[in-house]
PDB file of all heavy atoms in Angstrom:
ATOM      1  N   HIS A 136     -19.410  20.800  -4.445  1.00 97.00           N
ATOM      2  CA  HIS A 136     -19.702  19.375  -3.977  1.00 97.00           C
ATOM      3  C   HIS A 136     -20.100  18.416  -5.155  1.00 97.00           C
ATOM      4  O   HIS A 136     -19.591  17.257  -5.145  1.00 97.00           O
ATOM      5  CB  HIS A 136     -20.679  19.375  -2.954  1.00 97.00           C
ATOM      6  CG  HIS A 136     -20.339  20.004  -1.541  1.00 97.00           C
ATOM      7  ND1 HIS A 136     -19.729  19.181  -0.427  1.00 97.00           N
ATOM      8  CD2 HIS A 136     -20.109  21.280  -1.163  1.00 97.00           C
ATOM      9  CE1 HIS A 136     -19.513  19.955   0.488  1.00 97.00           C
ATOM     10  NE2 HIS A 136     -19.713  21.267   0.149  1.00 97.00           N
ATOM     11  N   SER A 137     -21.053  18.853  -5.947  1.00 97.00           N
ATOM     12  CA  SER A 137     -21.642  17.925  -6.843  1.00 97.00           C
ATOM     13  C   SER A 137     -20.742  17.852  -8.133  1.00 97.00           C
ATOM     14  O   SER A 137     -19.988  18.665  -8.450  1.00 97.00           O
ATOM     15  CB  SER A 137     -23.029  18.383  -7.266  1.00 97.00           C
ATOM     16  OG  SER A 137     -22.892  19.546  -8.084  1.00 97.00           O
ATOM     17  N   ALA A 138     -21.011  16.653  -8.780  1.00 98.00           N
ATOM     18  CA  ALA A 138     -20.337  16.476 -10.002  1.00 98.00           C
ATOM     19  C   ALA A 138     -20.494  17.586 -11.128  1.00 98.00           C
ATOM     20  O   ALA A 138     -19.759  18.058 -11.711  1.00 98.00           O
ATOM     21  CB  ALA A 138     -20.742  15.130 -10.673  1.00 98.00           C
ATOM     22  N   ALA A 139     -21.892  18.067 -11.082  1.00 98.00           N
ATOM     23  CA  ALA A 139     -22.274  19.128 -11.984  1.00 98.00           C
ATOM     24  C   ALA A 139     -21.526  20.415 -11.790  1.00 98.00           C
ATOM     25  O   ALA A 139     -21.054  21.115 -12.596  1.00 98.00           O
ATOM     26  CB  ALA A 139     -23.746  19.319 -11.869  1.00 98.00           C
ATOM     27  N   GLU A 140     -21.398  20.753 -10.483  1.00 98.00           N
ATOM     28  CA  GLU A 140     -20.536  21.966 -10.026  1.00 98.00           C
ATOM     29  C   GLU A 140     -19.173  21.787 -10.488  1.00 98.00           C
ATOM     30  O   GLU A 140     -18.537  22.739 -11.049  1.00 98.00           O
ATOM     31  CB  GLU A 140     -20.690  22.190  -8.524  1.00 98.00           C
ATOM     32  CG  GLU A 140     -22.027  22.608  -8.165  1.00 98.00           C
ATOM     33  CD  GLU A 140     -22.267  22.477  -6.567  1.00 98.00           C
ATOM     34  OE1 GLU A 140     -21.459  21.848  -5.894  1.00 98.00           O
ATOM     35  OE2 GLU A 140     -23.417  23.011  -6.116  1.00 98.00           O
ATOM     36  N   ILE A 141     -18.581  20.597 -10.229  1.00 98.00           N
ATOM     37  CA  ILE A 141     -17.217  20.410 -10.538  1.00 98.00           C
ATOM     38  C   ILE A 141     -17.050  20.423 -12.124  1.00 98.00           C
ATOM     39  O   ILE A 141     -15.982  21.075 -12.498  1.00 98.00           O
ATOM     40  CB  ILE A 141     -16.732  19.150  -9.958  1.00 98.00           C
ATOM     41  CG1 ILE A 141     -16.593  19.209  -8.437  1.00 98.00           C
ATOM     42  CG2 ILE A 141     -15.269  18.695 -10.504  1.00 98.00           C
ATOM     43  CD1 ILE A 141     -16.425  17.938  -7.704  1.00 98.00           C
ATOM     44  N   ALA A 142     -17.850  19.776 -12.895  1.00 98.00           N
ATOM     45  CA  ALA A 142     -17.848  19.705 -14.336  1.00 98.00           C
ATOM     46  C   ALA A 142     -17.959  21.196 -14.845  1.00 98.00           C
ATOM     47  O   ALA A 142     -17.049  21.593 -15.780  1.00 98.00           O
ATOM     48  CB  ALA A 142     -19.011  18.898 -14.843  1.00 98.00           C
ATOM     49  N   ARG A 143     -18.811  22.056 -14.254  1.00 97.00           N
ATOM     50  CA  ARG A 143     -18.859  23.392 -14.702  1.00 97.00           C
ATOM     51  C   ARG A 143     -17.717  24.250 -14.479  1.00 97.00           C
ATOM     52  O   ARG A 143     -17.176  24.902 -15.405  1.00 97.00           O
ATOM     53  CB  ARG A 143     -20.125  23.975 -14.032  1.00 97.00           C
ATOM     54  CG  ARG A 143     -20.526  25.477 -14.545  1.00 97.00           C
ATOM     55  CD  ARG A 143     -21.796  25.841 -14.086  1.00 97.00           C
ATOM     56  NE  ARG A 143     -21.905  25.768 -12.641  1.00 97.00           N
ATOM     57  CZ  ARG A 143     -21.613  26.654 -11.683  1.00 97.00           C
ATOM     58  NH1 ARG A 143     -20.957  27.698 -12.037  1.00 97.00           N
ATOM     59  NH2 ARG A 143     -21.781  26.369 -10.431  1.00 97.00           N
ATOM     60  N   PHE A 144     -17.113  24.221 -13.304  1.00 98.00           N
ATOM     61  CA  PHE A 144     -15.983  24.955 -12.833  1.00 98.00           C
ATOM     62  C   PHE A 144     -14.800  24.516 -13.667  1.00 98.00           C
ATOM     63  O   PHE A 144     -13.998  25.373 -14.111  1.00 98.00           O
ATOM     64  CB  PHE A 144     -15.674  24.887 -11.409  1.00 98.00           C
ATOM     65  CG  PHE A 144     -16.378  25.781 -10.546  1.00 98.00           C
ATOM     66  CD1 PHE A 144     -17.144  25.378  -9.586  1.00 98.00           C
ATOM     67  CD2 PHE A 144     -16.294  27.266 -10.668  1.00 98.00           C
ATOM     68  CE1 PHE A 144     -17.848  26.243  -8.697  1.00 98.00           C
ATOM     69  CE2 PHE A 144     -16.874  28.048  -9.928  1.00 98.00           C
ATOM     70  CZ  PHE A 144     -17.767  27.586  -8.915  1.00 98.00           C
ATOM     71  N   ALA A 149     -18.599  14.636 -17.453  1.00 96.00           N
ATOM     72  CA  ALA A 149     -19.493  14.231 -16.228  1.00 96.00           C
ATOM     73  C   ALA A 149     -18.814  13.040 -15.581  1.00 96.00           C
ATOM     74  O   ALA A 149     -18.835  12.946 -14.324  1.00 96.00           O
ATOM     75  CB  ALA A 149     -20.838  13.832 -16.753  1.00 96.00           C
ATOM     76  N   ALA A 152     -15.878  14.260 -13.552  1.00 98.00           N
ATOM     77  CA  ALA A 152     -16.368  15.144 -12.406  1.00 98.00           C
ATOM     78  C   ALA A 152     -17.122  14.277 -11.314  1.00 98.00           C
ATOM     79  O   ALA A 152     -16.915  14.534 -10.203  1.00 98.00           O
ATOM     80  CB  ALA A 152     -17.404  16.117 -12.906  1.00 98.00           C
ATOM     81  N   GLY A 153     -17.717  13.070 -11.832  1.00 97.00           N
ATOM     82  CA  GLY A 153     -18.294  12.250 -10.781  1.00 97.00           C
ATOM     83  C   GLY A 153     -17.262  11.526  -9.907  1.00 97.00           C
ATOM     84  O   GLY A 153     -17.529  11.364  -8.770  1.00 97.00           O
ATOM     85  N   ALA A 156     -15.961  14.175  -7.547  1.00 98.00           N
ATOM     86  CA  ALA A 156     -16.957  14.415  -6.514  1.00 98.00           C
ATOM     87  C   ALA A 156     -17.016  13.380  -5.402  1.00 98.00           C
ATOM     88  O   ALA A 156     -17.083  13.766  -4.242  1.00 98.00           O
ATOM     89  CB  ALA A 156     -18.469  14.664  -7.091  1.00 98.00           C
TER      90      ALA A 156
END
Side-chain angles (χ1 to χ4, degrees):
H136 290 258
S137 73
E140 292 164 346
I141 293 169
R143 184 171 47 86
F144 275 121

